[in-house]
Amino acid sequence: MSPRPEKAAGPAPDRPHLPRIPRFTRAEHRVHRATAGLMAVCVATAACLYLPFLAQLVGRRALMVTLHEWSGILLPVPLLLGLASRALRADLTRLNRFGPHDRRWLRAVLRRRGGRPAGKFNAGQKLYAAWLAGAVLVMTGTGLLMWFTHLAPLVWRTGATFVHDWLALSLLIVIGGHIWMAYRDPESRVGLRTGSVDAAWARREHPLWRPEKKDENP
């Protein structure tokens, strides 16, 4: 018996007259939202721990430390649970493939030219996903060394603290850029929230993407 198709998150109610195509499933939407929520807790608690005026305003440092540690540990969990979705696994495969058209997309962006070929994900989204995955792994590893002090000698913990702090700053900058790009593209946000996008937007922004029926499978 073939698996039951996983329903997309639903059509956009605000623009029903436009032809729309499925882009993300409900499982992908939930993974993104849960990951974003945990990342927001990590960033907010880190700010309360490192910025003196926030530390004084919020207080309860022990609580901030606990929330920061556990939100960091749980950060990879939504993605790991989401691997049960066939659609999510397929999209991870797409994000992991970098082809000639992606290099053309990057050259066009750097030269501020049009004609930016992209599949379901453009080269910028692929680079962001790869960088974020690596950063989360490094942050988790260095965080564990800082949390469990008996795991490594002092020199290792000192190095882990240095890497963790500076990588956290770069992570904040990159995530800020990601949010800004999403703010500038309302249709992309609609697609992630509802599961479907305007067909004209898909042809313009992702001309090499050919939506297939299997994108809706779990």
Side-chain angles (χ1 to χ4, degrees):
M1 179 180 295
S2 59
R4 291 183 61 186
E6 179 177 345
K7 294 181 180 179
D14 50 339
R15 288 183 288 179
H17 59 286
L18 294 176
R20 306 190 68 79
I21 56 177
R23 181 166 174 82
F24 295 114
T25 63
R26 196 179 304 274
E28 292 175 295
H29 166 73
R30 289 173 177 171
V31 168
H32 184 271
R33 175 166 290 188
T35 302
L38 288 169
M39 183 65 75
V41 174
C42 278
V43 171
T45 52
C48 292
L49 292 172
Y50 283 93
L51 299 178
F53 73 96
L54 283 179
Q56 293 178 1
L57 180 65
V58 176
R60 307 192 66 178
R61 181 177 178 84
L63 176 62
M64 294 297 102
V65 170
T66 300
L67 289 175
H68 185 75
E69 291 171 342
W70 282 104
S71 59
I73 290 294
L74 294 175
L75 195 57
V77 172
L79 179 60
L80 294 176
L81 294 176
L83 292 177
S85 166
R86 182 182 301 176
L88 180 60
R89 296 197 303 271
D91 278 350
L92 289 176
T93 300
R94 293 185 181 95
L95 286 168
N96 198 39
R97 290 177 179 171
F98 206 88
H101 65 280
D102 294 308
R103 288 186 283 272
R104 292 198 300 272
W105 188 94
L106 287 174
R107 285 196 296 268
V109 169
L110 293 175
R111 297 171 183 174
R112 298 185 178 181
R113 296 178 179 175
R116 302 174 182 180
K120 186 172 184 179
F121 303 103
N122 61 45
Q125 292 167 327
K126 292 179 180 181
L127 290 175
Y128 172 76
W131 187 90
L132 186 63
V136 168
L137 287 176
V138 174
M139 292 290 285
T140 302
T142 54
L144 287 172
L145 289 177
M146 296 163 61
W147 188 2
F148 300 102
T149 55
H150 62 280
L151 292 178
L154 177 61
V155 63
W156 286 24
R157 300 198 304 273
T158 302
T161 302
F162 178 84
V163 172
H164 194 88
D165 290 351
W166 282 102
L167 186 56
L169 178 60
S170 64
L171 192 64
L172 180 62
I173 295 172
V174 172
I175 291 176
H178 175 68
I179 294 174
W180 171 246
M181 294 300 293
Y183 173 78
R184 294 180 58 189
D185 192 350
E187 187 61 34
S188 178
R189 300 199 309 272
V190 170
L192 190 59
R193 188 176 69 250
T194 67
S196 64
V197 292
D198 175 25
W201 175 89
R203 288 193 297 268
R204 183 179 68 253
E205 300 293 335
H206 301 269
L208 303 181
W209 175 39
R210 299 293 180 267
E212 302 174 9
K213 195 70 176 176
K214 65 181 181 180
D215 285 346
E216 301 180 19
N217 292 341

